[in-house]
Amino acid sequence: MEKALEAESISFQVSSSTTSIENRGADILLTMETPQSTRTLAGSHLLIATGRKPNTDDLGLDKAGIATNDKGYIHTNGRMETNVPGVWALGDVKGGPAFTHISYNDFQIVYANIFEGENLTIENRYLPYALFTDPQLGRVGITEQQARSSGKKFKMGTYPLTSVSRAIEKGETAGLMKIIVDATTDRILGASILSSEGGEIVQILGAMILAARPTPS
Ligand SMILES: Cc1cc2nc3c(=O)[nH]c(=O)nc-3n(C[C@H](O)[C@H](O)[C@H](O)COP(=O)(O)OP(=O)(O)OC[C@H]3O[C@@H](n4cnc5c(N)ncnc54)[C@H](O)[C@@H]3O)c2cc1C
């Protein structure tokens, strides 16, 4: 992704911290300490992305005895039960992947468990996601890093978009496809497609991962 964006003249300055921001005429000047030196950038606009934190500090959770972690997310088990019987936490507030479809699936699981007598869990949940960047990043299953830390034997294949005829014809050769496969069963464990329409293409591999899973009883 970094390479693709750099090819469009976007530059990255990582491992740096901002020391000052000031207006000078029409410009905004941002000064930062980089690992090498002090650097000042001038620009017309400044977008600050600060991340998110859960709004749990004023809910009185302590009075109900509901446990949170050090970042304020409500602690739950795989059925999304908190430590207090009869109290559940769903969606972003329980931490983990913060997506609309995940919050909705949380609801489906809790509803099925409470009202339909199911015993569903979010453990090992199939998690697709897409970053709508250009090129898009579509991802399903586990990443290379997760495969490495799992200690499982796996095989990995990568294929640059510069070798894909369709990408060459469309003039959209930025990106890479990567597939992680279980070395014992040859089943797909995860895939990352960084390409034009990568968010759509990866769904095909997601369907293959799901098809190989046992049907929940
Ligand atoms: C900028 C941005 C872009 C995003 N883009 C995407 C995307 O492209 N795709 C995607 O899947 N997800 C995206 N998300 C994430 C997605 O919005 C969240 O994962 C999803 O909304 C979580 O749903 P939720 O019901 O758990 O929480 P929320 O949608 O946050 O709902 C919580 C509700 O509780 C209310 N509330 C809070 N405190 C109290 C209180 N004390 N009393 C009563 N009500 C309270 C809030 O007002 C809110 O309405 C994005 C999020 C952000 C911020």
Side-chain angles (χ1 to χ4, degrees):
M1 179 70 80
E2 197 172 325
K3 277 188 200 154
L5 294 175
E6 278 171 348
E8 295 185 17
S9 306
I10 293 170
S11 65
F12 289 80
Q13 182 67 62
V14 295
S15 308
S16 305
S17 47
T18 303
T19 51
S20 72
I21 299 167
E22 61 179 293
N23 285 308
R24 188 165 305 164
D27 282 340
I28 300 167
L29 299 187
L30 184 143
T31 304
M32 63 177 118
E33 288 298 330
T34 77
Q36 294 79 33
S37 62
T38 302
R39 193 175 167 204
T40 299
L41 298 176
S44 59
H45 293 75
L46 178 66
L47 172 68
I48 303 176
T50 57
R52 282 176 277 168
K53 63 179 183 128
N55 242 345
T56 50
D57 51 343
D58 58 356
L59 291 177
L61 295 176
D62 49 328
K63 292 191 178 64
I66 297 172
T68 56
N69 69 14
D70 56 343
K71 294 201 166 79
Y73 290 106
I74 299 175
H75 185 71
T76 71
N77 62 17
R79 288 166 51 91
M80 284 166 282
E81 292 163 320
T82 68
N83 60 309
V84 175
V87 182
W88 290 260
L90 293 74
D92 282 9
V93 81
K94 70 176 192 327
F99 297 114
T100 309
H101 54 283
I102 293 296
S103 291
Y104 186 70
N105 186 237
D106 286 356
F107 146 71
Q108 290 175 309
I109 289 173
V110 170
Y111 182 89
N113 287 347
I114 297 176
F115 295 106
E116 294 172 352
E118 300 284 351
N119 186 22
L120 305 177
T121 165
I122 56 173
E123 277 153 27
N124 293 324
R125 170 162 59 185
Y126 166 78
L127 171 64
Y129 88 71
L131 280 183
F132 295 102
T133 42
D134 181 15
Q136 290 176 15
L137 175 62
R139 191 177 265 171
V140 287
I142 64 169
T143 63
E144 178 187 347
Q145 214 171 13
Q146 286 167 332
R148 289 195 188 288
S149 54
S150 73
K152 256 189 186 172
K153 275 193 161 184
F154 71 95
K155 299 188 275 191
M156 187 175 80
T158 58
Y159 204 67
L161 267 278
T162 44
S163 301
V164 177
S165 316
R166 180 90 171 262
I168 297 167
E169 282 151 21
K170 287 172 72 183
E172 292 180 343
T173 51
L176 180 82
M177 299 193 269
K178 185 187 282 185
I179 301 189
I180 317 278
V181 173
D182 186 311
T184 317
T185 63
D186 269 346
R187 295 240 158 113
I188 298 171
L189 298 173
S192 301
I193 309 287
L194 178 67
S195 83
S196 164
E197 300 305 331
E200 302 299 328
I201 297 166
V202 81
Q203 302 303 330
I204 301 165
L205 295 151
M208 291 170 80
I209 294 175
L210 283 178
R213 285 192 170 192
T215 315
S217 52

